[in-house]
Amino acid sequence: MKTTFFKTIMPFAVVAILGISGAFLTTSMQSGSNLATPKQGYMDGPEGPCSVEVNCDTNPGLICEVNGVQAFGRDNNCSEILYRPSN
């Protein structure tokens, strides 16, 4: 009786366990991609354009600015738009 049970039920149990664990892994991987990506931003300063470093982010939201002056990323001659960090 036990061998018949294991031969018929175990393959289905293994597939079910693999499917459930795969679903949880996929969900956790998708939620991890929403984390903020910090990036160094730059503002114009006394030393010239893009000379003052500030902390910014690449996730869309409020524009990254300090004291009303917008900060940019160094890509494309300091014209990359960056966003305010979430924390």
Side-chain angles (χ1 to χ4, degrees), residues 26-44:
T26 303
T27 302
S28 66
M29 287 171 57
Q30 289 174 349
S31 65
S33 64
N34 292 334
L35 297 175
T37 308
K39 187 160 186 176
Q40 199 66 33
Y42 299 90
M43 299 181 338
D44 294 342

Side-chain angles (χ1 to χ4, degrees), residues 3-4 12 15 17-18 23 26 31-32 44 47 49 52 55 62-63 68 71 74 76 79 83 86:
T3 57
T4 306
F12 295 112
V15 169
I17 290 172
L18 289 175
T26 303
S31 65
D44 294 342
E47 293 84 29
V52 178
N55 293 324
L62 296 174
I63 298 295
R74 283 216 167 149
N76 299 326
S79 63
Y83 303 96
S86 58

Side-chain angles (χ1 to χ4, degrees), residues 3 6 11 13-14 16 19 32 34 40-41 50 52 57 59 71:
T3 57
F6 283 118
V14 169
N34 292 334
Q40 199 66 33
C50 287
V52 178
D57 196 343
N59 285 345

